[in-house]
């Protein structure tokens, strides 16, 4: 049964009632109800009712004696006299007129397994797993609840339940304590914020036979929902409370009787107490269960004794009622030296005096009870386990810090159960489970306790898995060494603990399935192909497939998200070669995992960065921010997180998760921009090095590469980034060089070697001590610090050699160095001319350059380089132009296709010319306009869609009305699309539409002649309708659609113009990188640069110095100093932000609110003290009057004789104020 329950993961989740009915159709097969089948007469009703509370007519048989003298059954028993049947009441409950969301309910037998019900509530009903269960018992019926108890339930219990993520188990009826708890929950829901993460979960455990109007809930197929009407109730029936999220209607076969739910509730509490907290039970402790006794009658003692035998702790409200007051007095009794026996059933060795004292207290609190001996035995059994009972004097202590009271009660109980357990450790685990870092700071981390690493290890794992960043920060600040904590095995376990609803978990499972399928095992996840990335539906086995995840799946996921800018992660730990193919790598990983897996015992090389990526993949903002603060390489880390989150947001289907990912990505981009701004203000040269430094933690990526991949336009708009790009673009040439000098040198390159153009002198190295100071002079300061200058970086021999080549070849040709060729005049058909051969060679050099960009750039695989090349729009334009040129060249070689080739060549010239637009992107004014133009082209496509619909509608009607029969396809196309399109611009043939202006034409109505090619005659039957359609068509197209297009253009222009500077700066980087990677010579002389590169790079194997302009690799001391300097700037930024936050109006209001609350609390204490002093003064005045009366009486009698006179009353005058 439980296996069937676990398989159904979508129960109750459908929107339509039929879908919910289908999802929960298994409930009657597993969950049963109880029906009394044997009539046992109730003597108090003169035999009219059964002892179950039902009438005789609804019973199948009678329990009577026989003729052989068998004893008559006098006591009704649920198990013997009732039978189980499939439940007929389950589904959702709607309270008529309540105006709140639906509640869940199910009618179940008192013998139902609690495992089934707990799985039903958490898996199918969607209730969050509790961190604490508080069972409120007592105060049943119409008993009046004291005001101070109501105040504690309202201010203490509900607030504690919300802060700890607890379940509150109540009676579920609108009576007694259950009604008070329901009212407190309603007040909390009304006062809570709409975006509050934690909701108070109240669950009603109610006897089925006691529910008023229970027949409204009966439906064998389930109710989705069942409407429940609350009415005035009688003495024996009660209505359900609409504040509960779920109702467990326990059925023992009785009607109108209490106590049938007690045994099931005990079993449910015991089962929950053995489950672990956290996601998938990943917490460090079992779910604590606490029973709370308020008032109660004598029958509550048996319930208390049964629960204590299962080691369930209790919190007793002293002064709330008979049962609670009796337990308070019982626990306070001082036991005689004679010890008690362990067995609670038969108490031996107890002194008679103690039993008499207990019996006396029972008579005091339960004067109407007659079975004193049984109550005494129960009380003695309770007393043996008094360590599990905590007495709360709520009338004196109040509702403040009630959650701390619950914590102390549970810690005391856990210490009693395990003598080896440390009280501080258990209290810490409870505080972590409840996410109460304030309690941990005040009680546990106040300096009095010396914590060891072993004490914090389990709690640290619990805090990480269950998203408790404040505890993670607290543990790291109080003795937990993250280097010892995070091993590769623990990192894998953290990824295994991801929630199955997360997108990252689903993607990891896809890669796991791929590896397992290659190894020959069956994949554990069924889903939609990853290529679509549209819909994810995964059926997860949490016990098997999740535990098989390894660091290889994490590496594959990061490779999918980050792309080819980073080398694969964790390949070093796994001992894999990044240059191997995917299939070989999978085989190698399977071989490693089938062995000893020694890598799992190794420490993580970058623990903070690994935890940072782990938190980012789960979209945990607060925890990710903390790990980012602790990790190094802050700028690159923030940009990497921005890239990961934006890629995940593209794959996420849920709107809320997608929005939160985008917001967190933007937050990290802002952090990267702020940290780099702080670095740029500190040292310009070091900040430039920071942008182009290759990171070993992030797979050799640089900040500029990561920012480009993450589309971090705000980061590129920073002045420091643009300053670096300007230096790379200008090189060593002075930026103040006039334009006319550049143009003159462009056409006469030898002038470069004159003084016409001035170049910058190499900058002297600046000592970092002049920029900032830090205590650790070895790590950051000092004269040997690494300070990079762009002038030092970009000086290379490669450019000089290429310029020398240009100078040598300049005498041979004075052609312009424009990249785009010109189309020559039409060549003679008999063969290519000499100019054509020049043109062919020119285009051949362009093809060589495109081949160099595609196949000889970077360290990627061939397919990856080709994919990267195709993704660029301008490369697509180049490829189109070259393919058109080849097509035209082939057509030119044959006389019959010469004109076709000429036409293709003309179109190719247009493509080559339009490609020149890309050059203007570097201009500050024209660059944003190109971006606007590109976005407007997208608007035109949407406009053409609407225009095409109107063209077809009007064109077909226009053709049908003017020409009755014209089967010629060419003319149909011209008259349906072409001519209506010209009508928009005013070319309207009035001689065809206006009957007064019809011209005499040579036409015919004969279908045969028309099919032969004759011109058909116009139809004048509905000529007036053609004019009306023309007016409507022109009105809509020229006014509506054209103005719509203008409005779309205006919106696009204004939207892009606001951020035009940011757009342009981002595009400027791509353009500079593109031209920086190209040779300095232009086509056709670029062929010499290609030969030079081929000889120098591939034959002589000389590395390129030019590549260091955008990427430099630092090692050893230089890298350490740069990281330390970056960390110092990050700390300065965080300190400034924290100071600004503390001085903000919100923070001031919060501090003022805390002070006001403290003052109000002190004033309440002062008023209480004043009340006590007034009471004391009244009592003292009474005592003084009584003593005075006694003194007067004794002085007037002869009983006491004395020789001294009575003392005189001295009037003490108050001292004047000083």
């Amino acid at each position: 049964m439980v296996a069937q329950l676990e398989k159904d993961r979508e129960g109750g989740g459908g929107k339509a009632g039929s879908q919910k009915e289908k999802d929960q159709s298994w409930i009657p097969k597993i969950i049963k109800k109880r029906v009394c089948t044997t009539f046992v007469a109730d003597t108090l009703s003169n035999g009219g009712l059964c002892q179950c509370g039902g009438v005789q007519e609804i019973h199948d048989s009678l329990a009577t004696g026989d003729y052989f003298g068998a004893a008559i059954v006098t006591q009704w028993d649920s198990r013997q006299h009732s039978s189980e049947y499939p439940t007929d009441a389950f589904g959702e409950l709607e309270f008529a007129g309540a105006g709140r969301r639906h509640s869940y309910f199910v009618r179940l037998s008192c013998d139902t397994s609690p495992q089934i019900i707990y799985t039903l509530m958490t898996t199918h009903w969607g209730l969050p797993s509790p961190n604490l269960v508080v069972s409120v018992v007592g105060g049943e019926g119409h008993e009046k609840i004291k005001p101070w108890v109501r105040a504690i339930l309202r201010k203490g219990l509900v607030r504690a339940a919300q802060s700890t993520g607890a379940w509150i188990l109540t009676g579920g009826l609108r009576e007694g304590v259950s009604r008070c708890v329901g009212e407190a929950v309603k007040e909390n829901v009304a006062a809570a914020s709409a975006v509050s993460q934690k909701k108070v979960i109240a669950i009603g455990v109610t006897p089925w036979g006691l529910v008023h109007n229970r027949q409204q809930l009966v439906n064998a197929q389930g109710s989705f929902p069942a409407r429940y009407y609350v009415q005035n109730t009688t003495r024996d029936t009660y209505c359900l409370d609409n504040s509960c999220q779920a109702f467990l209607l326990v059925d023992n076969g009785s009607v109108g009787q209490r106590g049938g739910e007690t045994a099931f509730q005990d079993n449910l509490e015991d089962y929950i107490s053995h489950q672990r907290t956290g996601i998938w039970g990943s917490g460090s402790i079992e779910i604590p269960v606490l029973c709370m006794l308020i008032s109660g009658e004598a029958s509550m003692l048996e319930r208390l004794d049964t629960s204590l035998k299962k080691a369930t702790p209790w919190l007793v409200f002293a002064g709330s009622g008979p049962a609670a007051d009796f337990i308070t007095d019982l626990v306070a009794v001082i036991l005689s030296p004679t010890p008690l026996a362990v067995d609670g059933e038969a108490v031996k060795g107890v002194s008679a005096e103690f039993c008499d004292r207990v019996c006396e207290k029972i008579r005091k609190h339960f004067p109407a009870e007659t079975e004193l001996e049984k109550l005494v035995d129960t009380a003695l059994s309770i007393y043996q386990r008094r360590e599990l009972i905590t007495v709360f004097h709520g009338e004196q202590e109040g509702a403040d810090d009630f959650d701390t009271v619950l914590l102390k009660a549970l810690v005391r109980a856990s210490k009693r159960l395990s003598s080896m357990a440390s009280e501080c450790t258990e209290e810490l685990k409870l505080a972590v489970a409840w996410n109460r870092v304030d309690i941990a700071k005040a009680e546990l981390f106040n300096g009095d306790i010396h914590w060891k690493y072993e004490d914090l290890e389990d709690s640290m794992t619990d805090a990480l898995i269950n998203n408790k960043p404040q505890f993670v920060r607290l543990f790291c600040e109080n003795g937990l060494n993250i280097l010892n904590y995070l091993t590769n095995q623990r990192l894998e376990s953290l990824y295994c603990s991801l929630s199955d609803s997360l997108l990252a978990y689903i993607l990891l499972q896809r890669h796991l399935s791929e590896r397992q399928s290659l190894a020959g095992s069956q994949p554990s996840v069924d889903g939609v192909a990853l290529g679509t990335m549209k819909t994810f539906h995964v059926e997860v086995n949490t016990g098997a497939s999740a535990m098989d995840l390894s660091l290889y799946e994490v590496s594959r996921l990061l490779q999918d998200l980050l792309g080819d800018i980073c080398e694969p992660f964790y390949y070093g730990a796994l001992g894999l070669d990044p240059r191997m193919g995917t299939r070989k790598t999978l085989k190698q990983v399977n071989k490693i995992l089938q062995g000893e897996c020694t890598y799992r015992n190794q420490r993580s090389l970058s623990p903070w960065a690994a935890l940072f990526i782990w938190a980012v993949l789960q979209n945990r903002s607060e925890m990710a921010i903390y790990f980012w603060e602790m990790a190094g390489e802050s700028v690159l880390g923030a940009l990497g997180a921005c890239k990961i989150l934006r890629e995940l947001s593209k794959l996420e289907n849920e709107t809320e998760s997608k929005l939160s990912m985008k917001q967190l990505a933007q937050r990290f981009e802002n952090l990267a921009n702020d940290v780099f701004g702080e670095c740029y203000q500190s040292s310009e040269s070091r900040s430039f090095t920071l942008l182009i430094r290759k990171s070993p933690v992030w797979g050799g990526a640089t900040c500029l590469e990561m920012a480009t991949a993450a589309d971090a336009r705000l980061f590129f708009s920073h002045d420091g980034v643009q300053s670096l790009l300007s230096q790379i673009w200008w090189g060593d040439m002075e930026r103040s060089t006039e334009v006319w000098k550049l143009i003159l040198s462009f056409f006469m390159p030898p002038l470069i070697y004159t003084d016409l153009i001035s170049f910058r002198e190499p900058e002297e190295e600046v000592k970092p001590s002049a920029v900032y100071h830090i205590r650790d002079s070895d790590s950051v300061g000092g004269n040997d610090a690494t300070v990079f200058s762009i002038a030092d970086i970009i000086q290379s021999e490669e450019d000089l050699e290429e310029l020398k080549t240009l100078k040598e070849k300049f005498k041979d040709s004075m052609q312009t160095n424009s990249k785009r060729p010109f189309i020559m005049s039409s060549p003679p058909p008999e063969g290519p001319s000499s100019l054509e051969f020049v043109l062919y060679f020119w285009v051949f050099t362009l093809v060589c350059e495109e081949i160099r960009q595609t196949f000889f750039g970077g360290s990627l695989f061939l397919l990856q380089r080709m994919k990267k090349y195709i993704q660029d729009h301008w490369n697509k334009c180049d490829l189109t132009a070259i393919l058109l040129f080849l097509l035209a060249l082939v057509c030119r070689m044959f006389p019959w296709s010469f004109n076709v080739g000429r036409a293709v060549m003309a179109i190719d010239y247009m493509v080559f010319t339009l490609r020149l637009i890309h050059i203007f992107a570097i201009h500050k004014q024209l660059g944003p306009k190109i971006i606007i133009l590109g976005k407007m082209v997208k608007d035109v496509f949407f406009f053409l869609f609407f225009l095409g619909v109107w063209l077809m509608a009007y064109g077909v009607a226009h053709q049908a009305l003017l020409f009755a029969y014209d089967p010629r396809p060419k003319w149909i196309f011209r008259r349906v699309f072409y001519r209506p399109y010209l009508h928009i611009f005013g070319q309207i043939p009035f001689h065809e539409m206006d009957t007064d202006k019809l011209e005499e034409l040579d036409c015919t109505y004969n279908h045969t002649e028309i099919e032969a090619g004759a011109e058909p005659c116009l139809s004048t039957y509905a000529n007036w309708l053609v004019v009306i359609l023309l007016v409507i068509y022109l009105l809509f197209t020229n006014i509506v659609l054209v103005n719509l297009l203008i409005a779309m253009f205006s919106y696009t222009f204004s939207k892009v113009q606001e951020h035009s500077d940011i757009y342009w700066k981002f595009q400027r980087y791509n353009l500079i990188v593109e031209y920086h990677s190209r040779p300095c010579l232009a086509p056709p002389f670029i062929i010499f640069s290609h030969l030079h590169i081929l000889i120098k790079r591939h034959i002589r194997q000389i590395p390129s110095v030019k590549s260091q302009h955008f990427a430099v690799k630092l090692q050893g001391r230089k890298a350490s100093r740069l990281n330390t300097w970056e960390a110092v700037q990050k700390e300065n930024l965080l300190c400034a932000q924290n100071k600004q936050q503390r001085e903000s109006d919100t923070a001031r209001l919060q501090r003022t609110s805390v002070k006001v609350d403290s003052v109000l609390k002190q004033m309440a204490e002062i008023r209480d003290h004043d009340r006590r002093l007034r009471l004391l003064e009244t009592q003292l005045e009474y005592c003084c009057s009584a003593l005075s009366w006694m003194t007067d009486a004794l002085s007037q009698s002869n009983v006491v004789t004395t020789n001294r006179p009575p003392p005189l009353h001295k009037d003490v005058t108050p001292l004047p104020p000083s």
Side-chain angles (χ1 to χ4, degrees), residues 338-443:
T338 305
L340 287 173
V342 178
D343 187 7
E345 296 292 337
V347 181
K348 301 178 180 179
V350 180
S351 63
E353 180 184 358
F354 182 76
C355 292
D356 293 340
R357 293 169 63 184
V358 172
C359 185
E360 181 182 353
K361 292 184 179 298
I362 291 175
R363 291 194 186 97
K364 173 184 175 183
H365 294 284
F366 310 108
E369 293 295 330
T370 57
E371 299 180 356
L372 296 180
E373 183 177 354
K374 182 179 179 180
L375 291 178
V376 169
D377 293 341
T378 304
L380 293 177
S381 179
I382 293 172
Y383 187 78
Q384 287 181 344
R385 299 170 178 82
R386 62 188 180 279
E387 294 85 358
L388 295 173
I389 300 176
T390 302
V391 178
F392 175 62
H393 300 276
E395 191 173 9
Q396 300 176 5
E397 299 180 19
D400 295 332
D401 300 330
F402 187 73
D403 44 5
T404 308
V405 174
L406 299 180
L407 179 66
K408 296 295 183 182
L410 292 170
V411 170
R412 179 183 178 187
S414 62
K415 187 178 180 182
R416 185 261 182 190
L417 294 175
S418 177
S419 58
M420 299 298 294
S422 172
E423 181 177 355
C424 298
T425 304
E426 294 301 320
E427 189 172 354
L428 175 61
K429 290 181 179 179
L430 285 172
V432 173
W434 298 354
N435 199 19
R436 292 304 304 271
V437 71
D438 53 340
I439 296 178
K441 288 182 179 179
E443 302 289 338

Side-chain angles (χ1 to χ4, degrees), residues 1170 1172-1183:
D1170 183 67
R1172 293 183 180 183
L1173 287 176
R1174 291 179 184 275
L1175 180 61
L1176 184 61
E1177 289 177 357
T1178 303
Q1179 294 176 351
L1180 184 61
E1181 184 178 356
Y1182 170 76
C1183 292

Side-chain angles (χ1 to χ4, degrees), residues 13 190 258 294 297 315 604 631 741 809 837 884 924 995 1159:
R258 299 181 183 274
I294 300 176
E297 300 298 333
L315 181 66
S604 178
K741 295 182 179 180
K809 303 299 178 181
F837 283 111
L884 288 176
K924 190 172 184 179
T995 55
V1159 170

Side-chain angles (χ1 to χ4, degrees), residues 718-961:
H718 194 278
D719 293 339
V721 179
Q722 294 300 310
S723 179
L724 171 64
L725 296 179
S726 298
Q727 288 199 14
I728 295 176
W729 178 257
W730 285 88
D732 289 338
M733 187 167 45
E734 289 289 348
R735 300 187 191 180
S736 58
T737 305
E738 289 81 356
V739 178
W740 66 270
K741 295 182 179 180
L742 296 177
I743 297 176
L744 185 61
S745 300
F746 181 78
F747 289 100
M748 300 183 64
L751 294 177
I752 297 176
Y753 297 95
T754 64
D755 294 334
L756 180 65
I757 298 178
S758 58
F759 294 88
R760 292 185 295 108
E761 297 292 335
E763 296 180 359
E764 296 183 0
E765 184 176 357
V766 182
K767 296 183 179 181
S769 58
V771 179
Y772 66 92
H773 301 278
I774 191 170
R775 294 181 181 180
D776 189 4
S777 59
D778 295 334
S779 60
V780 178
N783 296 331
D784 56 345
T786 305
V787 179
F788 287 86
S789 173
I790 292 300
D792 300 332
I793 294 177
I794 64 176
Q795 286 182 355
S796 63
E797 298 178 358
E798 182 179 356
D799 294 336
L800 296 178
E801 292 179 1
E802 293 181 353
L803 290 175
K804 289 180 180 179
T805 305
L806 173 65
K807 182 178 180 181
E808 293 174 358
K809 303 299 178 181
F810 178 77
K811 298 179 180 179
D812 299 335
S813 176
M814 289 298 291
Q815 300 292 335
T816 179
N817 58 350
S818 174
K819 179 181 177 181
R820 305 305 168 202
F822 294 96
I823 302 298
M824 303 304 172
S825 59
S826 178
E830 58 271 11
S833 65
S834 58
L835 291 179
E836 281 189 84
F837 283 111
V838 173
L839 176 63
Y840 298 158
F841 178 74
W842 198 316
V843 176
F844 172 73
T845 60
L846 292 178
V847 174
C848 293
E849 173 61 18
E850 299 301 325
I851 294 175
R852 186 197 65 82
Q853 294 180 25
T854 307
F855 299 100
F856 298 98
S859 59
L860 303 176
F861 294 105
L862 179 61
L863 293 178
Q864 292 177 337
R865 289 197 294 263
M866 294 178 63
K867 181 180 179 182
K868 184 178 179 181
Y869 175 83
I870 294 297
Q871 287 177 349
D872 186 79
H873 297 293
W874 295 110
N875 288 335
K876 294 177 183 177
C877 184
D878 290 337
L879 189 61
T880 303
I882 292 173
L883 292 178
L884 288 176
F885 184 86
L886 294 177
L887 177 61
L889 180 61
V890 172
C891 295
R892 188 254 176 274
M893 297 303 174
F894 304 97
W896 58 270
S897 60
F898 174 79
N899 291 327
V900 176
R902 191 171 183 276
V904 174
M905 191 71 73
I907 298 175
D908 190 32
Y909 174 77
M910 290 183 58
V911 178
F912 269 115
T913 306
L914 293 176
R915 178 63 172 84
L916 295 174
I917 297 178
H918 184 42
I919 300 177
F920 302 136
I922 196 65
H923 196 271
K924 190 172 184 179
Q925 301 298 330
L926 297 179
K929 302 303 184 292
I930 296 176
I931 299 173
I932 296 175
L933 182 62
K935 292 185 176 295
M936 285 183 175
V937 171
K938 298 180 181 179
D939 295 337
V940 170
F941 280 107
F942 291 103
F943 170 77
L944 292 178
F945 172 76
F946 292 107
L947 182 61
V949 173
W950 271 93
L951 281 176
M952 179 176 291
Y954 170 73
V956 172
H958 177 269
Q959 168 75 5
L961 293 174

